[in-house]
Each structure stands twice: as C-alpha cells, then as structure tokens.
C-alpha cells in the first residue's frame, strides 16, 4: 500500500506537455513515482420529486496515480490509480514488464497485485536486471 512519507518530490512530465510534482518511491533500472491528489469535492444541490432542493455534501478524495520510467530519461508510463475506473493494472504492468517473464507470471497469477507495486518494481530491479536499486526509506 502506498502511504505518505518524507521521500523527495520531483517535477515530472506525466503526460506529453503536462508536468506534475510527484513523489519518488523507488529508484533503479525502473523508477516508481506517485502523484497524489487530495481534497474535497464541492457540495451539489439536487432537486427532489416534491420540487425541493436537497444538498448532497462534498466528499474527501485521495487519488494516487502510479507512474514508472526506465532509465534516467525513460518515457513515463501511467500504471493506473487507486480509483475504481482506472486502467487495468494487471495488463498495464504485464505489458510494461514484458521483458521479465518471471515477473509477468507473478502478476498474471495475482501473486503481485496493484497494492504490491513497490514490490513489483523492487523485484524487477533486483531480479530481472542485474542492477542495484536504491531503496528510499519512509
């Protein structure tokens, strides 16, 4: 699970022409970033059958978008978010890590799920490429 921590924030192009401040979670052959958006949605007024207006209170939201990149200047790829209607994580992660069949098998067999994204990136960095990973502590 991705939680709040005191890891460095960086400015990253998350979509062509769009830059956001993201938090670095893992650095290695593959880098993992999270873009967290929190706040409250505005209250809404809705009409009822009897012609009265009713107010629906705003809700707190906490959206975490996951991004990965390979190498120093690698293209940034969105792996999904913690929202219900986000990109299919299993397919996105399997495609992204396709060069590591052992990891893809673990993702497809649901041994690794979206909540294990840090473990997925660590596994890739340590097992799939004989590279060393820098693990940033909370």
């Amino acid at each position: 699970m991705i939680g709040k921590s005191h890891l460095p924030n960086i400015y990253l192009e998350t979509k062509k022409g769009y830059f956001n401040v993201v938090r670095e979670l893992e650095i290695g052959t593959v880098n993992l970033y999270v873009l967290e958006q929190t706040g409250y949605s505005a209250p809404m007024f809705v009409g009822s059958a009897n012609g009265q207006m009713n107010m629906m209170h705003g809700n707190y939201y906490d959206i975490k978008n996951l991004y990965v990149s390979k190498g120093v200047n690698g293209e940034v790829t969105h792996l999904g978010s913690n929202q219900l209607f986000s990109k299919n994580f299993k397919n996105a992660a399997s495609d992204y890590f396709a060069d590591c069949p052992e990891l893809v098998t673990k993702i497809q067999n649901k041994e690794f799920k979206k909540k294990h994204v840090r473990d997925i990136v660590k596994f890739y960095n340590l097992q799939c490429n004989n590279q060393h990973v820098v693990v940033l502590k909370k």
Side-chain angles (χ1 to χ4, degrees), residues 2-13:
I2 299 172
K4 295 183 187 217
S5 66
H6 300 288
L7 297 175
N9 292 327
I10 63 167
Y11 201 53
L12 187 70
E13 186 174 18

Side-chain angles (χ1 to χ4, degrees), residues 90 104-113 115-116:
K90 186 166 80 167
V104 170
T105 299
K106 290 178 179 291
I107 294 168
Q108 290 295 317
N109 292 339
K110 298 183 181 178
E111 189 175 332
F112 281 140
K113 298 177 183 178
K115 66 183 178 182
H116 304 118

Side-chain angles (χ1 to χ4, degrees), residues 26-136:
E26 298 291 335
I27 304 301
T29 304
V30 169
N31 304 313
L32 174 64
Y33 310 98
V34 63
L35 170 61
E36 190 167 5
Q37 300 164 306
T38 59
Y40 287 91
S41 60
M44 294 177 21
F45 293 93
V46 293
S48 64
N50 62 7
Q52 290 187 334
M53 294 297 284
N54 295 317
M55 184 178 94
M56 294 178 62
H57 296 284
N59 291 319
Y60 174 77
Y61 63 88
D62 185 3
I63 303 170
K64 294 175 179 71
N65 287 289
L66 304 170
Y67 295 90
V68 287
S69 69
K70 290 184 180 176
V72 176
N73 294 317
E75 183 179 333
V76 175
T77 301
H78 182 243
L79 281 186
S81 74
N82 61 338
Q83 297 301 293
L84 181 61
F85 299 108
S86 70
K87 188 176 188 178
N88 184 310
F89 178 79
K90 186 166 80 167
N91 291 339
S94 295
D95 288 345
Y96 190 81
F97 297 109
D99 61 334
C100 183
E102 183 181 357
L103 179 55
V104 170
T105 299
K106 290 178 179 291
I107 294 168
Q108 290 295 317
N109 292 339
K110 298 183 181 178
E111 189 175 332
F112 281 140
K113 298 177 183 178
K114 187 188 301 188
K115 66 183 178 182
H116 304 118
V117 69
R118 286 184 90 159
D119 295 327
I120 290 169
V121 172
K122 280 182 192 177
F123 183 94
Y124 183 88
N125 286 336
L126 295 172
Q127 303 295 322
C128 300
N129 290 314
N130 295 321
Q131 302 284 329
H132 295 291
V133 64
V134 176
V135 178
L136 300 173

Side-chain angles (χ1 to χ4, degrees), residues 11-20 67 76:
Y11 201 53
L12 187 70
E13 186 174 18
T14 54
K15 191 191 284 187
K16 188 74 171 164
Y18 294 94
F19 290 83
N20 287 293
Y67 295 90
V76 175

